[in-house]
Amino acid sequence: MVKTPSYKEEHLVLHKDLESLQSTLTVTENATTFQGVLENIKTHNPDMLCVFRRKRGFFKKLWEKNTILKEEFYSNVPLLVLIGK
């Protein structure tokens, strides 16, 4: 779980079904989600990375300053992006 400077406490709540599946939980604080993901990949060397995307409103996305463009993102492991609730 990556905490960024704009996180809210409700972002740290995991769904009970997901909690029952997890064996460990790593929490990092980084300037951007991308930096937190890179740190996790280097530390744990996973076979696959699974991330949950949180739904954000249009205006929140519009005013974000730390946007990562798709062409700037690279992962050397398979990446699965799931929609979170």
Side-chain angles (χ1 to χ4, degrees):
M1 179 175 294
V2 181
K3 287 184 185 179
T4 58
S6 60
Y7 86 95
K8 296 178 182 172
E9 286 299 321
E10 63 261 19
H11 295 161
L12 304 179
V13 178
L14 295 177
H15 190 276
K16 63 182 178 177
D17 294 335
L18 182 59
E19 281 184 339
S20 68
L21 294 174
Q22 81 179 31
S23 58
T24 61
L25 177 65
T26 303
V27 180
T28 63
E29 294 188 34
N30 299 88
T32 65
T33 302
F34 183 63
Q35 289 173 348
V37 170
L38 287 180
E39 179 181 300
N40 190 40
I41 287 175
K42 291 176 184 176
T43 304
H44 299 287
N45 196 21
D47 295 326
M48 181 175 82
L49 182 63
C50 180
V51 296
F52 290 88
R53 181 185 68 83
R54 295 194 184 267
K55 189 171 186 168
R56 295 171 291 160
F58 171 77
F59 290 104
K60 286 184 180 182
K61 289 182 199 176
L62 182 65
W63 299 118
E64 284 181 356
K65 294 180 182 177
N66 57 352
T67 303
I68 298 168
L69 302 175
K70 288 180 184 176
E71 60 264 16
E72 295 175 359
F73 181 80
Y74 170 78
S75 174
N76 58 350
V77 296
L79 177 65
L80 175 61
V81 180
L82 301 172
I83 296 173
K85 291 184 178 182

